[in-house]
Every structure is written in structure tokens, then in C-alpha cells.
């Protein structure tokens, strides 16, 4: 899941003015003068992150003598942490610190984590002794060595998560024109892809063929340069101000609903509190919707709620209809969100198992060049990048010409489900061939046999991942707009945790995943189980769509005035 590990965000394109952040004053900073500083920071941080995360499984096996499947699970947990933290970072940025502070603090945390990783490969006392040649029994890490290792992984994961979405959001906030934002995002993703490719190839090659110390030293330099350049540009930036927690209004609805649990729900619009209807874009002026009617009590006007001047007497008792409808929107999107977790879980499982498979194959291209196992993610990265380009220039224009309209995010996600299932099935078939080759006298198969499954899953990602971000971006309440894309990172993080749990469960109840997958392992069965899970999840997704009428869907999509959203990622 290379594309999901190193991050991404939304790319906006269109005409007109993008609504600037509240209290924005472009005379106080921002504009194209800020782009070189931010893009240089993106390059440095991406080089640093890709250098450690792409080769983490190999690092754990070779330097810490951790068994292969355990290494894969640690990898999934680290990826889960780095994808979960963007949500926390978004809350901190919106509520307390602002994007600028979150970025430089996260970069510093990442720098400290990389220093610890460098120490683990340079100081003998921080890692177990190397395995003796030909020995099947290797010393395991001590508790203190595990503590240092996990502390380092926690720091670099938190640092990656804190900068991942914040850098893209912070850069977009420097512009108040959609065309300028679109150009910035094109440059942002070009920088992200180039840096990701370099880290997954050159830095991983240095780690495998020169030394881990040199590889991590390059990561440290990249991180330090990115942080320094970002801070140097501080005086040119537009600094967004924290606006308060976006979840406060959600909590108010729940509290107000409990307080008024004995009140009868009214169908009269005049019985509800609307607040300053003209004060914000998209404010609801009509009666609350009939879905989840129990929540409508939160907006009911009761005795003592409204003062003679029209203001509310107790902030946590009456809520506006808009706040109630915002919470309902979140509830409606939860089934899709849960389906997306199971959609991303197989990709996490495939990503870690592919590295283990690659370690047992013939990775030579010619007589001198050997593909590092940690660089296999590059093929998924290239697949996603190429697919997004082809979709944008050929598939979507053709779709609009034939159908007369653009594909909906729901359609994109559905196609992504299908490609995901096919990719897992191909993984199972290829694993059968790999296992047969490993147990025969013909020698290991070529690592290139693993490429088709990564390409297929990459195409699927190009369908479903942008579709998800487009949907969340449009349908999330205005007060949670900045959280929309961060929630995608959260579901990816949960998917990595779930993939680790699935691998652990399979190990406990079967013998399919031994420490040596060539010693009686049945990785193909794991993939077939994932295929079954994918089929059931696709059915769940279709049922979810069936529960939403076309009328409600079109109303939801019109309400935000659909801005075309295209997500690219690492």
C-alpha cells in the first residue's frame, strides 16, 4: 500500500474563487512566493519517510532478528499509526495550534525518531548480535532494545502523520483562487511522486547494498533540510488561525437531545431554532429532515431557551437545525466509511506479504542489478500514478461523452472494489506458482511475477481512493470540512491495524503463516480468505447504496455545488 503510506490529499480544479479560511487577509502573506518553501519541505519529508517505511520489514528481519510474519505485523501497526495521526493533527491544527505549528513540531518529532533509528544501527548495544552464517537460531532483542526500537518507530510514525495532510492543506491555504490551488496541487503531487520514487529506489538500494547507517543518514538530512527550508519561509506564509474544535457542535447536539429526551418531535418549522441563518454558507433554513428524527429534539425551542433579544440562554441546550443536520450527515456516511476500512485492509495485507514473497524470489535483473524487496511498492506507485493520468485525460472525458455526465464517487468506489478483489485473486494464483517454484529443483521464480498483482491493486486504488475523498470532501459538514480528507487517512490507519489483526488471527488458528513461508506456508490461502472478505464487503457496499434513494443522493451532491476533486497520493 505504498500510495497510502506516504500520504496524499485532494487536488482541486475549477474556476472562480475558493472560499478562503475565516479571517483571511491575503495582504498578510501567502501566494506563489510560499510554494518553493512548502514544496521543498514536501520533498525532504517524503524522502525521509519513504526511506524508513518502505524497507521496514527487511530492517526488522535483518537487524533485529525478528521473525518475518512478526515483522510484517509491526510494519502494519507502524503504517496504521502514521495514517491515524493525521486526524489528531487536523484537530490540533483546527482547534489549537494551526497548520504551521503542527507541521514544524511533527517534522521535529520525525527528526528525533530518525536519530534513534540511526543509533540502533550504529551502536551494537541497541540491537541484538548478528546471526551467525548458516545458523537457524538467532538472538532475539532484549526488552530495552525493543523499547528503543518501538520508541523510534512511534516518533517517525507520528511525525509522518503530522506532516502528511497538513503540508498539502497549508499550501492550499496560501491561495484563494481555485485555479491557483489546482496548479499548486499539481506541483505538490509531482514533488511527492518524484520524492517517493527516489526514496523507494535509491535510498532503499543504499540500505540494502551499502549500509543501513548511510540510508538513515540520508533520511535525516532530507528531514532536516525540509524542516529548515519550511521555517525559513515562515515570514512569507499566510498563517491560519485556530477556529475551535469542530466536534463541539456535534457534542452539543447529543447533549441537547438527551436533555430534551421527553419532548415530542414537532413537524412545524417554527418550533425549531435556526440561529443566524444568513450568517453562514449552506445554513439550513427549513424544517429538519425526517431521518434520525430523535436528533431533531436538540433543535426544538423550549421554554427558557431563547432570550428576548433572540440569543440562546444556555449554549448546550438548544442547537441549530444546521448542527443537527451536520451530525446526521456524519451518521449517514458511517456505513460507507466502515466499508472503506475493509476495502483498504486487503491492500495492507498484500503490501506486507509481498515483501516477504519478494525475499524468496530471484530479484536479479541482469547480472549486477538486484531489486530490493522493499522497493516492490514502486510498482504499485507507478500503477496508481499512470492510472490517474490515463483516467484524467482519456477515461473520464470518454465517460462524459458517452454518459453525458461525470462518474459519481459511488461508481468509482464500486469499480475499485472489483479491481481489489481481482488483485487479491491474482495474488493467490501467483503465490501458488511461487511456492511450487521454491519447493522444486528449478530454483526460485522471478520477482517480476509479483508485479501484475500490484498493478491491478494500484488501478483499483486509482478508482476508489479518489472517489472516497471526493465524497467525504463534498458531504462532510462545513464545520468539519478540513477533517473530510483526514478521515480517509484514519480509515487507512484502521485498515492497517485490522490487517495486522487478521494476520495474527490466521497465525493462531491455522499453520498457513509460519516464520519461513517456504516451510509449509500457505500464503495463497490467506489471499483467498481476503478475496472472500472482499466479496462480502462489496455486497455490503451495494446494500448500503441501495438504502440511499437517488433523490437523496442528488440532493446531497447538489448541496455542496460539486467541485471536481481528484486525489493523488504517494
Amino acid at each position: 500500500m505504498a500510495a497510502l503510506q506516504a500520504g496524499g490529499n485532494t487536488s482541486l480544479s475549477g474556476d472562480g474563487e475558493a472560499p478562503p479560511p475565516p479571517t483571511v487577509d491575503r495582504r498578510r502573506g501567502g501566494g506563489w512566493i510560499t510554494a518553493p518553501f512548502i514544496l521543498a519541505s514536501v520533498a525532504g519529508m517524503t524522502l525521509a519517510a519513504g526511506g524508513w517505511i518502505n524497507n521496514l520489514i527487511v530492517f526488522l528481519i535483518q537487524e533485529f532478528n525478528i521473525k518475518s510474519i512478526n515483522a510484517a505485523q509491526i510494519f502494519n501497526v507502524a503504517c496504521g499509526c502514521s495514517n491515524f495521526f493525521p486526524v489528531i493533527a487536523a484537530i490540533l491544527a483546527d482547534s489549537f495550534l494551526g497548520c504551521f505549528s503542527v507541521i514544524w513540531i511533527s517534522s521535529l518529532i520525525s527528526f528525533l525518531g530518525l536519530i534513534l533509528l540511526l543509533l540502533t544501527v550504529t551502536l551494537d548495544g541497541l540491537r541484538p548480535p548478528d546471526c551467525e552464517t548458516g545458523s537457524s537460531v538467532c538472538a532475539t532483542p532484549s526488552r530495552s532494545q525493543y523499547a528503543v526500537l518501538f520508541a523510534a518507530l512511534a516518533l517517525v510514525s507520528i511525525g509522518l502523520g503530522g506532516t502528511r495532510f497538513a503540508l498539502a492543506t497549508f499550501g492550499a491555504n496560501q491561495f484563494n483562487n481555485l485555479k491557483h490551488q489546482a496548479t499548486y496541487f499539481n506541483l505538490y503531487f509531482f514533488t511527492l511522486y518524484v520524492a517517493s520514487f527516489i526514496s523507494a529506489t535509491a535510498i532503499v538500494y543504499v540500505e540494502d547494498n551499502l549500509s543501513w547507517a548511510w540510508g538513515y543518514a540520508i533520511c535525516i538530512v532530507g528531514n532536516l533540510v525540509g524542516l529548515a527550508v519550511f521555517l525559513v519561509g515562515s515570514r512569507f506564509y499566510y498563517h491560519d488561525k485556530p477556529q475551535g474544535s469542530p466536534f463541539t457542535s456535534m457534542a452539543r447536539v447529543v447533549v441537547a437531545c438527551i436533555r430534551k429526551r421527553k419532548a415530542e418531535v414537532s413537524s412545524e418549522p417554527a418550533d425549531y431554532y435556526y440561529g443566524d441563518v444568513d450568517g453562514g454558507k449552506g445554513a439550513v433554513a427549513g424544517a429538519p429532515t425526517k431521518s434520525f428524527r430523535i436528533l431533531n429534539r436538540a433543535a426544538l425551542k423550549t421554554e427558557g431557551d431563547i432570550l428576548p433579544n433572540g440569543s440562546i440562554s444556555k449554549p448546550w441546550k438548544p442547537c441549530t437545525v444546521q448542527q443537527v443536520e451536520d451530525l446526521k450527515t456524519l451518521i449517514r456516511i458511517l456505513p460507507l466509511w466502515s466499508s472503506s476500512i475493509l476495502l483498504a485492509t486487503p491492500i495492507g495485507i498484500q503490501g506486507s506479504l509481498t515483501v516477504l514473497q519478494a525475499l524468496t524470489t530471484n530479484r536479479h535483473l541482469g547480472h549486477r542489478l538486484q531489486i530490493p524487496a522493499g522497493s516492490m511498492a514502486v510498482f504499485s506507485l507507478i500503477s496508481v500514478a499512470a492510472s490517474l493520468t490515463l483516467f484524467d485525460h482519456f477515461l473520464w472525458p470518454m465517460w462524459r461523452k458517452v454518459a453525458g455526465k461525470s462518474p459519481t464517487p459511488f461508481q468509482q468506489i464500486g469499480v475499485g472494489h472489483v479491481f481489489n478483489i481481482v488483485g487479491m485473486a491474482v495474488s493467490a494464483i501467483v503465490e501458488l506458482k511461487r511456492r511450487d517454484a521454491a519447493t522444486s529443483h528449478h530454483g526460485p521464480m522471478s520477482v517480476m511475477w509479483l508485479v501484475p498483482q500490484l498493478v491491478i491493486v494500484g488501478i483499483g486504488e486509482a478508482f476508489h481512493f479518489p472517489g472516497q475523498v471526493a465524497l467525504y470532501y463534498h458531504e462532510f459538514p462545513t464545520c468539519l470540512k478540513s477533517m473530510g480528507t483526514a478521515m480517509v487517512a484514519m480509515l487507512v490507519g484502521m485498515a492497517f491495524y485490522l490487517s495486522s489483526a487478521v494476520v495474527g488471527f490466521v497465525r493462531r488458528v491455522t499453520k498457513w503463516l509460519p516464520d519461513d513461508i517456504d516451510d509449509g506456508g500457505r500464503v495463497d490461502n490467506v489471499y483467498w480468505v481476503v478475496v472472500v472478505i472482499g466479496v462480502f464487503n462489496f455486497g455490503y457496499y451495494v446494500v448500503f447504496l441501495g438504502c440511499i434513494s437517488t433523490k437523496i443522493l442528488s440532493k446531497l451532491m447538489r448541496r455542496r455545488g460539486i467541485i471536481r476533486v481528484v486525489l493523488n497520493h504517494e
Side-chain angles (χ1 to χ4, degrees):
M1 197 189 289
L4 306 183
Q5 290 161 13
N9 210 307
T10 54
S11 173
L12 305 178
S13 62
D15 299 323
E17 298 294 316
T23 69
V24 65
D25 183 356
R26 295 301 170 185
R27 292 173 298 179
R28 294 164 53 189
W32 282 110
I33 193 174
T34 64
F37 300 99
I38 298 174
L39 294 176
S41 181
V42 171
M45 294 303 299
T46 304
L47 282 173
W52 71 263
I53 201 169
N54 284 312
N55 219 18
L56 179 59
I57 293 178
V58 179
F59 167 72
L60 296 174
I61 294 173
Q62 293 183 356
E63 296 298 310
F64 277 80
N65 302 333
I66 295 176
K67 301 298 183 180
S68 59
I69 302 300
N70 292 334
Q73 289 182 290
I74 294 174
F75 168 80
N76 286 332
V77 172
C79 290
C81 180
S82 64
N83 281 281
F84 186 83
F85 193 75
V87 176
I88 300 176
I91 295 174
L92 291 174
D94 287 344
S95 306
F96 306 105
L97 303 176
C99 278
F100 177 80
S101 296
V102 166
I103 291 170
W104 77 258
I105 292 173
S106 299
S107 300
L108 183 60
I109 292 174
S110 177
F111 175 74
L112 296 176
L114 288 171
I115 292 291
L116 271 183
L117 282 179
L118 178 61
L119 292 177
T120 62
V121 295
T122 53
L123 300 180
D124 293 337
L126 295 182
R127 69 181 189 280
D130 295 336
C131 288
E132 296 182 6
T133 304
S135 174
S136 59
V137 179
C138 301
T140 58
S142 65
R143 289 186 177 181
S144 59
Q145 290 169 343
Y146 267 128
V148 174
L149 171 65
F150 291 150
L153 293 180
L155 290 174
V156 291
S157 297
I158 291 173
L160 171 59
T163 56
R164 169 181 299 180
F165 283 80
L167 274 169
T169 302
F170 184 73
N173 286 346
Q174 306 304 312
F175 307 96
N176 63 349
N177 183 283
L178 284 175
K179 288 184 178 180
H180 292 171
Q181 286 183 351
T183 303
Y184 162 75
F185 274 116
N186 287 336
L187 294 172
Y188 171 85
F189 287 116
F190 175 79
T191 305
L192 190 71
Y193 273 88
V194 171
S196 299
F197 184 84
I198 293 174
S199 64
T201 52
I203 297 180
V204 170
Y205 185 84
V206 169
E207 292 168 348
D208 279 7
N209 295 277
L210 190 56
S211 73
W212 289 98
W214 275 107
Y216 287 149
I218 295 173
C219 293
I220 290 173
V221 171
N223 190 305
L224 188 59
V225 170
L227 173 58
V229 173
F230 181 75
L231 293 177
V232 167
S234 174
R235 65 191 184 95
F236 300 110
Y237 301 143
Y238 159 70
H239 294 270
D240 53 337
K241 297 180 180 179
Q243 301 297 317
S245 174
F247 291 101
T248 301
S249 63
M250 307 290 115
R252 286 180 60 187
V253 174
V254 176
V255 172
C257 189
I258 294 175
R259 285 181 172 181
K260 301 179 181 181
R261 59 188 177 276
K262 296 182 179 180
E264 293 186 6
V265 178
S266 173
S267 58
E268 296 295 328
D271 293 334
Y272 293 95
Y273 176 67
Y274 298 92
D276 184 10
V277 176
D278 297 326
K281 181 182 178 180
V284 174
T289 57
K290 294 182 179 180
S291 59
F292 306 108
R293 294 180 73 246
I294 188 174
L295 297 177
N296 292 351
R297 291 191 177 97
L300 274 174
K301 290 187 292 186
T302 57
E303 185 177 356
D305 283 350
I306 311 299
L307 297 177
N309 62 1
S311 61
I312 56 177
S313 58
K314 297 180 180 179
W316 285 77
K317 192 173 182 181
C319 297
T320 66
V321 173
Q322 179 66 56
Q323 291 171 332
V324 172
E325 293 303 313
D326 286 346
L327 180 57
K328 290 181 181 181
T329 300
L330 287 182
I331 295 174
R332 290 189 191 101
I333 214 71
L334 283 179
L336 174 64
W337 193 73
S338 61
S339 172
S340 298
I341 294 175
L342 289 177
L343 176 60
T345 298
I347 307 177
I349 294 175
Q350 184 201 54
S352 55
L353 292 182
T354 297
V355 174
L356 301 183
Q357 291 172 292
L359 287 171
T360 67
T361 61
N362 179 9
R363 292 179 283 125
H364 286 88
L365 292 179
H367 297 291
R368 295 184 179 181
L369 181 61
Q370 177 174 283
I371 300 177
S375 294
M376 294 303 295
V378 169
F379 295 104
S380 178
L381 170 66
I382 294 174
S383 175
V384 175
S387 297
L388 287 171
T389 302
L390 290 174
F391 293 171
D392 196 38
H393 290 86
F394 298 102
L395 182 59
W396 300 149
M398 186 181 301
W399 186 304
R400 286 190 290 269
K401 184 178 295 185
V402 174
K405 58 182 178 180
S406 298
T408 67
F410 293 102
Q411 291 170 328
Q412 294 182 51
I413 296 171
V415 175
H417 273 272
V418 175
F419 271 95
N420 212 34
I421 295 170
V422 173
M424 296 303 127
V426 171
S427 297
I429 296 171
V430 171
E431 168 58 18
L432 279 174
K433 176 178 176 58
R434 188 208 63 80
R435 186 165 55 86
D436 290 342
T439 55
S440 68
H441 300 290
H442 301 292
M445 76 174 192
S446 170
V447 72
M448 300 306 293
W449 279 94
L450 299 176
V451 173
Q453 64 197 46
L454 298 174
V455 171
I456 294 173
V457 171
I459 296 173
E461 279 191 51
F463 273 106
H464 68 75
F465 209 55
Q468 291 176 54
V469 176
L471 185 65
Y472 298 147
Y473 181 85
H474 295 314
E475 301 312 325
F476 259 62
T478 303
C479 64
L480 292 173
K481 206 66 164 178
S482 62
M483 289 291 298
T485 53
M487 290 297 287
V488 179
M490 184 176 179
L491 74 86
V492 172
M494 295 184 68
F496 272 114
Y497 290 136
L498 186 57
S499 64
S500 181
V502 169
V503 170
F505 177 77
V506 170
R507 293 193 72 189
R508 286 194 299 270
V509 301
T510 72
K511 298 181 179 180
W512 296 345
L513 292 174
D515 293 324
D516 182 358
I517 60 174
D518 287 339
D519 185 17
R522 292 302 304 268
V523 178
D524 55 311
N525 286 348
V526 178
Y527 281 126
W528 286 122
V529 170
V530 172
V531 168
V532 173
I533 294 175
V535 171
F536 276 102
N537 187 45
F538 182 53
Y540 168 65
Y541 175 77
V542 172
V543 171
F544 162 72
L545 286 185
C547 293
I548 302 180
S549 69
T550 304
K551 181 178 179 180
I552 294 177
L553 265 178
S554 60
K555 179 180 178 181
L556 286 172
M557 300 304 283
R558 286 197 307 268
R559 190 177 62 204
R560 297 281 194 263
I562 301 291
I563 300 171
R564 180 167 163 261
V565 177
V566 178
L567 175 79
N568 292 289
H569 45 292
E570 185 222 27

